[in-house]
Amino acid sequence: MGRPRITLLCRGSTRVGLGHVMRTRTVADALESRAVVRVVLIGDEAAASLLRDRPWPSLRVDSEAAAASAVTSTRPHAVTVDLTTLTASAFDEVSDDGRRPVASLSPVFDRLDEVPVLFHRATRHPLGPRPGWRMGPDWAVVRPEVAAIPEASFRAAIAPDRPLPVAVCMGGGDAPNLTRRVIERLRAFDRPLLVWALLGEGYRHSFDELERAARADRRHEVILARTTHSMWHVLRGCAVAVLAGGTVTYEAAAAGLPSVNLLADPAQAYLIEDLVAAGAAFHGGSLEGDLSALPRILERLDADRDGLLAAHRAARGLVDGRAAHRIADAMLDLAARAAMAEPAGQGVAA
């Protein structure tokens, strides 16, 4: 029997963000040597650029109907979806009316009631646990370029004689331009900071406006950097990251970088509560508010650099970076069972 066929469906754009695309790409890379892998993207050119030059083919489409048709055309034995929404008709086509196994990489997919398998990075979910759901930090997908920060390097970052190096990373697209809001809010911070504003592939806002916001801050040094592959080279030199509570929060924990997380939806605090409970991350409040809690949290961390070191140490072992391979194993098992049940004569792609 040849290799099983696994198709991965995701959505990403400058408007909705690129985290789902990066997570799908990491899982597809883990599957590639053992399955016939194809990725279907509902998204824009910024998202599609993240899938180029991979060892598996990808297809960008503009609609859910086109995506469902593209998935079906690959005759997959199993499918992963990394989406927040999908119409009932498109999901029925992707799942072959429930006959094809579908697993979600997204914990906020609106059709989780119809998905037999969920790979979820937290130990709790409002709808779970359920049979077939894998839950906890062991299932937090981390890109392979994320490496543990040596304690000696972290100690250098938090040395008491230097401004606290803070990274601001609000997603690859940052559609609401949270980066600028955070930079403007940090003016209220009394002591000097070194602020790295990391702008992703999909950042489409005015650089002039962002630069003016940075120049208006006479107290802090603000560095604007467009990063994709080099993001983690910068983050390894920081003491704390201001994040939006998405996949990068778990990557930060895997690296040992403490994070302050601003959540778009307070009801989704369960997504980071394991890290917060362990002392490896901090809740910074809601993005819908005025972000007034953020300077206070950073002031406390700046004044207690031993506390930052404790947070760095607390992250050890929480996220081991092997989730993509665990997910690959689980998907291969689902696909192999589906392949065994495939009617004679349909065959399996080599």
Side-chain angles (χ1 to χ4, degrees):
M1 184 178 72
R3 293 184 296 167
R5 300 182 295 273
I6 299 177
T7 299
L8 300 91
L9 170 63
C10 62
R11 190 195 306 268
S13 68
T14 56
R15 184 178 63 84
V16 303
L18 303 173
H20 297 281
V21 180
M22 295 301 293
R23 182 164 52 196
T24 293
R25 187 179 82 171
T26 302
V27 173
D29 283 346
L31 280 164
E32 191 272 334
S33 65
R34 295 187 287 167
V36 177
V37 173
R38 295 174 178 87
V39 174
V40 176
L41 164 70
I42 309 168
D44 61 11
E45 183 58 29
S49 70
L50 298 174
L51 303 179
R52 294 199 182 101
D53 302 321
R54 310 310 292 180
W56 32 261
S58 62
L59 174 67
R60 182 179 75 85
V61 298
D62 294 321
S63 69
E64 294 186 354
S69 177
V71 169
T72 301
S73 72
T74 66
R75 295 172 40 244
H77 295 112
V79 175
T80 73
V81 294
D82 204 339
L83 313 156
T84 57
T85 62
L86 193 65
T87 62
S89 59
F91 183 81
D92 288 345
E93 186 172 352
V94 167
S95 68
D96 192 19
D97 292 321
R99 290 183 289 271
R100 178 182 295 127
V102 176
S104 178
L105 302 178
S106 169
V108 294
F109 183 41
D110 67 349
R111 300 204 170 275
L112 288 180
D113 281 334
E114 303 167 69
V115 171
V117 177
L118 167 67
F119 302 110
H120 175 42
R121 59 187 181 263
T123 56
R124 186 176 69 85
H125 192 285
L127 300 178
R130 294 183 180 179
W133 284 18
R134 279 78 160 179
M135 300 170 66
D138 280 351
W139 300 97
V141 175
V142 172
R143 284 172 283 177
E145 58 263 37
V146 177
I149 300 169
E151 184 167 314
S153 298
F154 191 78
R155 283 182 177 274
I158 61 171
D161 60 344
R162 63 176 292 185
L164 192 71
V166 177
V168 177
C169 184
M170 306 309 294
D174 190 12
N177 207 0
L178 301 171
T179 303
R180 193 179 75 176
R181 285 185 61 199
V182 169
I183 288 174
E184 290 173 343
R185 175 51 69 179
L186 290 181
R187 291 180 202 163
F189 194 93
D190 289 335
R191 296 180 60 188
L193 295 172
L194 171 59
V195 179
W196 287 88
L198 304 184
L199 311 175
E201 182 72 24
Y203 190 84
R204 295 291 184 268
H205 302 286
S206 168
F207 273 74
D208 290 341
E209 291 181 7
L210 191 57
E211 185 178 7
R212 281 195 292 271
R215 288 184 180 277
D217 189 337
R218 300 294 185 181
R219 183 178 296 114
H220 310 311
E221 183 176 1
V222 181
I223 301 172
L224 308 179
R226 182 182 289 280
T227 60
T228 301
H229 304 296
S230 62
M231 182 179 83
W232 271 102
H233 292 290
V234 175
L235 288 175
R236 289 188 192 109
C238 294
V240 62
V242 179
L243 305 174
T247 55
V248 179
T249 295
Y250 279 78
E251 292 183 342
L257 178 64
S259 62
V260 179
N261 293 273
L262 306 167
L263 301 180
D265 183 356
Q268 293 179 0
Y270 66 90
L271 293 172
I272 63 169
E273 66 183 13
D274 296 299
L275 305 182
V276 172
F282 307 92
H283 195 311
S286 171
L287 287 170
E288 297 301 318
D290 62 3
L291 307 187
S292 59
L294 179 60
R296 293 196 300 270
I297 294 171
L298 290 176
E299 285 167 4
R300 175 169 56 82
L301 295 175
D302 185 33
D304 181 17
R305 300 200 179 191
D306 286 342
L308 277 171
L309 179 60
H312 165 75
R313 290 172 172 170
R316 290 178 183 165
L318 285 177
V319 180
D320 66 4
R322 299 288 302 169
H325 296 283
R326 294 187 184 96
I327 292 170
D329 289 342
M331 290 304 302
L332 287 162
D333 182 60
L334 285 176
R337 281 186 275 145
M340 293 293 292
E342 189 174 53
Q346 287 194 12
V348 178

